[in-house]
Amino acid sequence: MATVLVPVKTTAPALPRDRQRLRPLTLAFAVLVMLASLVPFYWLINTSLKTGAELSSGSLFPTAPSLQNYLEVLQDGKFLTALGNSVIVGVVTTSLALLLASFAAYALARLALPRKGLILAAVLSVTTFPVIAIAAPMFKIWSDLGIYDTLPGLIIPKLTFALPMAIFVLTSFFREIPFELEESALIDGATPFQAFRKVILPLAVPGIATTAILVFISVWNEFLLAVTLTSTPTSRTVPVAIAFFAGTNEFEQPIGTISAASVIVTLPLLLLVLLFQKRIVAGLTAGAIKG
């Protein structure tokens, strides 16, 4: 006699009453945080679409939206040069930071080094130094070395401050990769470097992507070192170039062009986060749950 399997309907367990009451409050709080984050960016776009006397008005919507500010910015050769400089400095600094930080983080996560916690704390202590305290001495040293107002002169200090964050993030991520996988590769005849390159790095892609985006954003937005170590438009990055925007005459404030330039500068970062948001979340939450 054949047995007949009757499907059993299952329902999700009901949430406790306390949690059910908190859900609307949590949703409302999330909406408020989202609005607080989006309103400044919307106001920036709103201002960038205004021209003339309308720039001084506080209207929520431009009465006659215009792309004139964007056209003026994109036709400005100094801004385009600064945009290219930011891309070069950001890509080179991020690449060097990932290369150096991956080796340092692997050593701190895997090797039996004495006082590893103290070493990591010493690395992180670099980020506690106020940039403004070393800007003036660095200006003098860079001038004596002949690398003032050059792109290498910007990459070196930016890399110095980007490395500690990259090492910290990658170290915590490497620690969560099971050592047995690396051990198996070593047993199969791989060298330690081959195990690192072919086993550890592929598994660490979410953490590497997260680190790359965080480093790139910090380098892209950095202003103090960029304005201290440059003096001509040929070496300035985008934040400095925007700060030096001037109107058509001494009585005009270039609010519209500054807003348009800020929108243009923000878009690459926004697209970067949207394209790699899954890897960012995976990297930031790696190691948060064990089991």
Side-chain angles (χ1 to χ4, degrees):
M1 183 175 179
T3 54
V4 179
L5 298 177
V6 179
V8 179
K9 295 183 179 180
T10 59
T11 58
L15 293 174
R17 285 188 176 181
D18 292 340
R19 292 187 61 184
Q20 289 180 353
R21 293 174 181 173
L22 287 175
R23 290 185 66 180
L25 295 176
T26 304
L27 181 61
F29 180 75
V31 171
L32 289 175
V33 171
M34 182 184 67
L35 290 176
S37 303
L38 293 178
V39 165
F41 189 64
Y42 168 75
W43 196 261
L44 193 66
I45 297 175
N46 178 33
T47 306
S48 68
L49 296 175
K50 296 178 179 179
T51 56
E54 192 179 3
L55 283 170
S56 58
S57 67
S59 58
L60 293 177
F61 304 97
T63 55
S66 174
L67 297 177
Q68 179 182 346
N69 294 321
Y70 290 93
L71 294 176
E72 291 180 4
V73 169
L74 295 176
Q75 291 173 357
D76 187 348
K78 294 180 181 180
F79 176 79
L80 296 180
T81 300
L83 191 61
N85 291 339
S86 288
V87 172
I88 294 172
V89 172
V91 171
V92 173
T93 304
T94 302
S95 301
L96 291 176
L98 290 179
L99 177 64
L100 299 176
S102 60
F103 291 117
Y106 177 77
L108 290 172
R110 283 288 193 262
L111 302 183
L113 299 175
R115 303 183 183 276
K116 289 195 294 186
L118 185 61
I119 295 174
L120 187 59
V123 170
L124 289 175
S125 66
V126 175
T127 60
T128 63
F129 285 94
V131 179
I132 194 170
I134 64 173
M138 193 172 292
F139 167 79
K140 180 66 169 62
I141 295 172
W142 262 222
S143 299
D144 294 341
L145 293 176
I147 57 176
Y148 174 75
D149 198 30
T150 63
L151 294 186
L154 284 178
I155 292 172
I156 295 172
K158 289 176 184 286
L159 177 62
T160 302
F161 285 95
L163 265 177
M165 178 178 63
I167 292 173
F168 176 75
V169 175
L170 289 179
T171 299
S172 59
F173 194 87
F174 285 159
R175 284 173 178 169
E176 302 304 323
I177 298 177
F179 180 72
E180 289 76 11
L181 299 175
E182 184 180 358
E183 192 176 28
S184 300
L186 295 175
I187 293 174
D188 291 338
T191 63
F193 180 73
Q194 288 175 333
F196 170 72
R197 181 169 59 88
K198 296 182 178 181
V199 178
I200 300 299
L201 287 183
L203 294 174
V205 167
I208 293 174
T210 303
T211 307
I213 293 172
L214 293 176
V215 170
F216 185 83
I217 291 175
S218 65
V219 172
W220 183 273
N221 292 330
E222 198 280 324
F223 176 79
L224 185 56
L225 288 174
V227 75
T228 304
L229 301 178
T230 58
S231 60
T232 61
T234 56
S235 301
R236 286 172 181 160
T237 54
V238 161
V240 182
I242 294 176
F244 279 90
F245 269 5
T248 56
N249 57 69
E250 60 180 339
F251 302 105
E252 178 186 351
Q253 292 184 348
I255 300 175
T257 51
I258 288 177
S259 300
S262 301
V263 173
I264 293 174
V265 171
T266 306
L267 285 179
L269 303 181
L270 185 62
L271 293 175
L272 193 66
V273 172
L274 291 177
L275 288 175
F276 297 99
Q277 58 179 332
K278 291 184 180 180
R279 292 196 179 277
I280 294 174
V281 174
L284 291 176
T285 57
I289 301 176
K290 294 183 179 181

